[in-house]
Coordinates of all heavy atoms in Angstrom, one line a residue:
P1 N 54.8 -6.6 21.9 CA 53.5 -6.8 22.6 C 53.7 -7.0 24.1 O 54.3 -8.0 24.4 CB 52.8 -7.9 21.8 CG 53.4 -7.9 20.5 CD 54.9 -7.5 20.7
T2 N 53.1 -6.2 24.9 CA 53.3 -6.3 26.3 C 52.0 -6.1 27.1 O 51.3 -5.1 26.9 CB 54.3 -5.2 26.8 OG1 55.5 -5.3 26.1 CG2 54.5 -5.3 28.3
E3 N 51.6 -7.2 27.8 CA 50.4 -7.1 28.6 C 50.5 -6.2 29.8 O 51.6 -6.2 30.4 CB 50.0 -8.5 29.0 CG 49.6 -9.5 27.9 CD 49.1 -10.8 28.4 OE1 49.0 -10.9 29.7 OE2 48.9 -11.7 27.6
V4 N 49.5 -5.4 30.1 CA 49.6 -4.6 31.2 C 49.2 -5.4 32.5 O 48.2 -6.1 32.4 CB 48.6 -3.3 31.1 CG1 47.2 -3.7 30.9 CG2 48.8 -2.4 32.3
V5 N 50.0 -5.3 33.5 CA 49.7 -6.0 34.7 C 49.7 -5.0 35.8 O 50.7 -4.3 36.1 CB 50.8 -7.1 35.0 CG1 50.5 -7.7 36.4 CG2 50.9 -8.1 33.9
F6 N 48.6 -4.8 36.5 CA 48.4 -3.8 37.5 C 48.8 -4.3 38.8 O 48.2 -5.3 39.3 CB 47.0 -3.2 37.5 CG 46.6 -2.5 36.3 CD1 45.6 -3.0 35.4 CD2 47.2 -1.2 36.1 CE1 45.3 -2.2 34.3 CE2 46.8 -0.5 34.9 CZ 45.8 -1.0 34.1
P7 N 49.8 -3.8 39.5 CA 50.1 -4.2 40.9 C 49.0 -3.6 41.8 O 48.1 -2.9 41.4 CB 51.5 -3.5 41.1 CG 51.4 -2.3 40.3 CD 50.6 -2.6 39.1
L8 N 49.2 -3.9 43.1 CA 48.4 -3.2 44.1 C 48.7 -1.7 44.1 O 49.9 -1.4 44.1 CB 48.6 -3.8 45.5 CG 47.8 -3.2 46.6 CD1 46.3 -3.7 46.5 CD2 48.3 -3.6 48.0
M9 N 47.7 -0.9 44.0 CA 47.9 0.5 43.8 C 47.1 1.4 44.8 O 46.1 1.9 44.5 CB 47.5 1.0 42.4 CG 48.4 0.3 41.3 SD 47.8 0.7 39.6 CE 46.3 -0.3 39.6
P10 N 47.6 1.5 46.1 CA 47.0 2.2 47.1 C 46.8 3.7 46.7 O 47.7 4.2 46.0 CB 47.8 2.1 48.3 CG 48.7 0.9 48.1 CD 48.9 0.8 46.6
V11 N 45.7 4.3 47.0 CA 45.5 5.7 46.7 C 45.6 6.6 47.9 O 45.0 6.3 48.9 CB 44.1 5.9 46.1 CG1 43.7 7.4 45.8 CG2 43.9 5.1 44.8
S12 N 46.4 7.7 47.8 CA 46.5 8.7 48.9 C 45.4 9.7 48.7 O 45.4 10.4 47.6 CB 47.9 9.3 48.9 OG 48.9 8.4 49.2
V13 N 44.5 9.8 49.6 CA 43.4 10.8 49.6 C 44.0 12.1 50.1 O 44.5 12.2 51.2 CB 42.2 10.3 50.4 CG1 41.1 11.4 50.2 CG2 41.8 9.0 49.9
K14 N 43.8 13.2 49.4 CA 44.4 14.5 49.7 C 43.4 15.3 50.7 O 42.8 16.3 50.3 CB 44.7 15.3 48.5 CG 45.7 14.7 47.6 CD 46.2 15.6 46.5 CE 45.1 15.9 45.5 NZ 44.6 14.7 44.8
T15 N 43.3 14.7 51.9 CA 42.5 15.4 52.9 C 43.5 15.6 54.1 O 43.5 14.7 55.0 CB 41.3 14.5 53.3 OG1 41.7 13.2 53.5 CG2 40.2 14.6 52.2
P16 N 44.3 16.6 54.2 CA 45.2 16.8 55.2 C 44.6 16.8 56.6 O 45.3 16.5 57.6 CB 45.8 18.2 54.9 CG 45.6 18.4 53.4 CD 44.3 17.7 53.1
A17 N 43.3 17.2 56.7 CA 42.7 17.1 58.0 C 42.7 15.7 58.6 O 42.7 15.5 59.8 CB 41.2 17.6 57.9
L18 N 42.6 14.7 57.7 CA 42.8 13.3 58.1 C 43.4 12.6 56.9 O 42.7 12.1 56.0 CB 41.5 12.6 58.5 CG 41.6 11.2 58.9 CD1 42.4 11.1 60.3 CD2 40.3 10.5 59.0
P19 N 44.7 12.5 56.8 CA 45.4 11.8 55.7 C 44.9 10.3 55.6 O 44.7 9.7 56.7 CB 46.9 11.8 56.1 CG 47.0 13.0 57.0 CD 45.7 13.0 57.8
L20 N 44.6 9.9 54.4 CA 44.1 8.5 54.2 C 44.9 7.8 53.1 O 45.2 8.5 52.1 CB 42.6 8.6 53.8 CG 41.6 9.0 54.9 CD1 40.3 9.4 54.2 CD2 41.4 8.0 55.9
V21 N 45.0 6.5 53.2 CA 45.5 5.7 52.1 C 44.5 4.6 52.0 O 44.2 3.9 53.0 CB 46.9 5.1 52.4 CG1 47.3 4.1 51.4 CG2 48.0 6.2 52.5
V22 N 44.1 4.4 50.8 CA 43.0 3.4 50.5 C 43.5 2.4 49.4 O 43.9 2.9 48.3 CB 41.7 4.1 50.0 CG1 40.6 3.1 49.7 CG2 41.2 5.1 51.1
A23 N 43.4 1.2 49.7 CA 43.6 0.1 48.7 C 42.3 -0.7 48.6 O 42.0 -1.5 49.5 CB 44.8 -0.8 49.1
A24 N 41.5 -0.4 47.6 CA 40.2 -0.9 47.5 C 40.2 -2.3 46.9 O 40.9 -2.6 45.9 CB 39.2 0.0 46.7
A25 N 39.4 -3.2 47.5 CA 39.3 -4.5 46.8 C 38.4 -4.4 45.6 O 37.6 -3.4 45.5 CB 38.6 -5.5 47.8
H26 N 38.4 -5.4 44.7 CA 37.6 -5.4 43.6 C 36.1 -5.4 44.1 O 35.8 -6.1 45.0 CB 37.8 -6.6 42.7 CG 37.2 -6.6 41.4 ND1 35.8 -6.8 41.2 CD2 37.6 -6.4 40.1 CE1 35.5 -6.8 40.0 NE2 36.6 -6.5 39.3
P27 N 35.2 -4.6 43.4 CA 33.8 -4.5 43.9 C 33.1 -5.9 44.0 O 32.2 -6.1 44.7 CB 33.2 -3.6 42.9 CG 34.3 -2.8 42.3 CD 35.5 -3.7 42.3
A28 N 33.6 -6.8 43.1 CA 32.9 -8.1 43.1 C 33.4 -9.1 44.3 O 32.8 -10.1 44.5 CB 33.2 -8.8 41.8
V29 N 34.4 -8.6 45.0 CA 34.9 -9.5 46.1 C 34.1 -9.2 47.3 O 33.9 -8.1 47.8 CB 36.4 -9.1 46.4 CG1 36.9 -9.9 47.6 CG2 37.3 -9.5 45.2
G30 N 33.5 -10.3 47.8 CA 32.7 -10.2 49.0 C 33.6 -10.3 50.3 O 34.6 -11.0 50.2
G31 N 33.2 -9.7 51.3 CA 34.0 -9.7 52.5 C 33.6 -8.7 53.5 O 32.5 -8.1 53.4
D32 N 34.4 -8.5 54.5 CA 34.1 -7.5 55.6 C 35.3 -6.7 56.0 O 36.5 -7.2 55.9 CB 33.6 -8.3 56.8 CG 32.3 -9.1 56.5 OD1 31.3 -8.4 56.3 OD2 32.4 -10.3 56.5

């Protein structure tokens, strides 16, 4: 039995016109 632990997982957006890497915060986290 092994619990899944998700690390920070930035997403590379495939828009070569402007390459992007996004690491989104949890939607419930307030901030700016």
Side-chain angles (χ1 to χ4, degrees):
T2 303
E3 295 185 4
V4 61
V5 178
F6 293 112
L8 184 71
M9 297 173 289
V11 175
S12 296
V13 184
K14 298 188 296 297
T15 47
L18 181 70
L20 292 165
V21 172
V22 180
H26 190 287
V29 174
D32 298 290

